[in-house]
Amino acid sequence: MPDKFDVIVVGAGPAGISCAYHLAKSGVNVILIERGEYPGSKNVMGGVLYRKMMDDIIPGFYKEAPLERPIVEQRFMMLDKESALTFGYKGLEWAEEPYNNFTVLRAKFDQWFASKAEAEGALLINETVVLECIVEDGRVIGVRTDRPDGEIYADVVVLADGVNSLLAKQLGFHKEFKPNEVALATMEILKLDKAIIEDRFNLEPNQGCTIEIFGDATKGILGTGFLYTNKDTLSIGVGTLLSGLIKHKIKPYELLEYVKNHPMIKPYIKGSEPQEYLAHLIPEGGYHSMPKIVGNGVIVVGDAAQLVNAIHREGSNMAMTSGILAAETILLAKMTGDYSENMLDHYRMKLMDSFVGKDLKKYKDATHHFDKFPQYFEKYIPLMNQAASQMFTVDGSSKKEKQNKIWKDIGSAGEKMKIARDLVRAWRVMK
Amino acid sequence: MLHVVACIKQVPDTKVAKLNPKTNTIDRASAPAILNPYDTHAVEEAVRLKKRYGGTVTVLTMGPPPAVKAIRRCVEIGADEGYMISDRAFAGADTLATSYALTKALHKISQIRPIDLIICGKMTIDGDTGQVGPGIARRLDIPPLTSVNKVVEIDKEGGSAVVHRKLEDGYEVVKSTLPCLLTVEKEINEVPYSPMPNLIKAARYQPTIWAVSDLEDVDRTQLGLKGSPTIVGSVWAPPKPQGGEILQGPVNSQVDQLMDILLQKKELFAVKGGAS
Ligand SMILES: Cc1cc2nc3c(=O)[nH]c(=O)nc-3n(C[C@H](O)[C@H](O)[C@H](O)COP(=O)(O)OP(=O)(O)OC[C@H]3O[C@@H](n4cnc5c(N)ncnc54)[C@H](O)[C@@H]3O)c2cc1C
């Protein structure tokens, strides 16, 4: 007799673990299936963990979770070939409890988070791949795994299997990604002495810094680079839309090498030793690309539902919130014994009403816009660098003369109109 | 119906473990804890015998509370029951004290269900001694059969077991009385991908845990550090082999060259430490 559970959660990333945690805590018989050797073993993220959503799930988690550094400074770098325009904010209020955000290494964090779900009674099964959902009369009633005697059954299956969810695809919930709906990110974890990190990034022990890099980090292709401080490692990476890589015929690791060797970046990572190389997809299609996320007996959460805010590099937090909302919906469904699509649609409504849905909607055209008009990355960032260089170079000419020169350098009146139009457009998609 | 007990141990995965540069001991935090690889084959063999003859597979370990994970892994492979002895008094045990403590636990298990066969891994990958298995056999006064790479037959009625023992240049066929203790080579079997029901059972499984006070007739001076006469003089990491030479030419000439090199190394032929 195959085992029957209340809920099967596929995938132990932030979405799946949050969902399993919340269900188990509420006394639901839930099994969490992960294909990796342990949760997090295959997961990739820069990564900034947002305190708020995690704190909602496990209050005060930062007192015991394996975190790298609380982030006290966020910098933004507009990169040109041999210059960078940098701005940022550093606030010591972020160095104190309850903190703002943290850098994390997912291999450690996910494992810890999953152990918390286990402690609440969730059954974690590692090293097991879910091959497909078992569908009967148009309802998902369980999953088939790659194990011998591998079928298990449940009232609801939660698909938290991450970006490019094969399981949701098999159910016909979404189609193959288009190259402009998905980004490919590559990153490296670089080993560097703790004291050197603190020295180089102007940090006290137990303080961290994030640098988001725009412009030449991606050779003008739409995307971003990042450089984050961990305890005794740095995370450096770069992600671009697949369409950009194809168009410019660049291989992702070439781009990473380029960033690592960029004269504005290289000094930060000098003397570090590569420890790990990782690559992962990020769903960036946003609101317009959202697949179907509920069906009879099935709910899709996290990256599998393409819940990522590419503009603000938020994903793990949306994954967590969606996992919790799915769990709450399942608890509701359990009271009525009704697991139909109609009932579970409550999840979709809740989600679209939360910050997740609202932010996805707000930025629904942003990625598409910047993809369609490459001049922002290709042209305006270099222009900003030139302007800054002009303004801050002391060469005897008056500031007024400098302004005139900058204004002239931007180009003809037509060119200026075009930039003004682009700025308005950018404002519209971001506002 | 056979009752087979496998004695197992949780060890740091020495494939990834790092050495503490100061003490030259394994830095346990640097590696995940796994079921000793030889022991997975011991448990698998027990499970195969159960499938062949019917019966029960029990696993026994001595270790700190997290070693429960190793027992769960055994349940995934197909073990029915798990026992763990865990107590501060066991800490610091060498192979002598370990075999003493495990023997006491085996006595207690045999009161619950008489034991026909005990299987251990050939050795652990963190200690590499291979002494605990034979130590248990000696203390129980049953035959130890080491380096077993095949179990031909277990005849419970006739009270005998026939196994192959691996030798340097082949194997020997040995017949023993039952109960006896086997230590097994990795090649004895392949551990298959465990079935889902076992995984679910394992994830829920809580082994029976005994403290010293749960065991009978225990002489506490024989436990843990106190009961361990082993003295570790010093520990060092073996130097990485350096230099070397790749011989060229046809095989015959390579052999000749090699012989020349070896014969010139007088130190290889000197008798060390002998009376002159
Ligand atoms: C380079 C990079 C940097 C990022 N930086 C940030 C950041 O700084 N902050 C942020 O919030 N987000 C960031 N993100 C996004 C974030 O990583 C994701 O949004 C988040 O991990 C989504 O969580 P999830 O649980 O939905 O999916 P995942 O974390 O991908 O988890 C899915 C899990 O399912 C398992 N799985 C998949 N298929 C199966 C199957 N068939 N059977 C069993 N198990 C399966 C996988 O092994 C995995 O453990 C970044 C992403 C990348 C790639």
Side-chain angles (χ1 to χ4, degrees), chain A residues 9-18 32-50 71 102-104 106 110 125 127-132 144-146 159-167 183-187 210 212 226 228 236-239 278-284 301-309 312-320 322:
Chain A
V9 179
V10 183
I17 301 171
S18 304
L32 176 59
I33 305 180
E34 168 58 40
R35 70 177 166 190
E37 195 184 333
Y38 54 84
S41 58
K42 294 198 170 177
N43 295 346
V44 185
M45 177 162 121
V48 177
L49 179 81
Y50 301 91
I71 298 162
F102 305 88
T103 46
V104 294
R106 289 280 300 275
D110 289 10
I125 304 286
E127 294 181 90
T128 301
V129 181
V130 172
L131 300 173
E132 58 181 356
R144 187 163 292 121
T145 67
D146 64 344
L159 301 182
D161 53 339
V163 60
N164 204 12
S165 166
L166 296 177
L167 301 170
L184 179 61
T186 49
M187 65 175 281
T210 59
E212 312 293 337
F226 60 85
Y228 300 158
I236 186 165
V238 47
L278 304 154
H280 207 271
L281 295 174
I282 308 178
E284 297 208 340
V301 295
D303 272 12
Q306 303 185 22
L307 308 176
V308 166
N309 178 347
H312 289 266
R313 55 112 162 85
E314 290 179 25
S316 62
N317 55 339
M318 295 191 155
M320 288 175 184
S322 68

Side-chain angles (χ1 to χ4, degrees), chain B residues 112-170:
Chain B
I112 301 167
R113 185 182 284 124
I115 300 170
D116 300 302
L117 183 67
I118 299 170
I119 309 185
C120 302
K122 175 183 159 174
M123 60 185 193
T124 53
I125 57 169
D126 59 344
D128 278 14
T129 64
Q131 293 169 348
V132 171
I136 293 170
R138 183 70 194 83
R139 289 178 185 281
L140 290 172
D141 202 18
I142 60 174
L145 302 168
T146 54
S147 296
V148 171
N149 60 10
K150 184 175 176 165
V151 177
V152 181
E153 185 183 39
I154 306 287
D155 177 3
K156 188 169 169 172
E157 267 68 68
S160 68
V162 180
V163 303
H164 289 184
R165 287 191 64 230
K166 184 181 179 180
L167 303 176
E168 262 177 31
D169 50 0

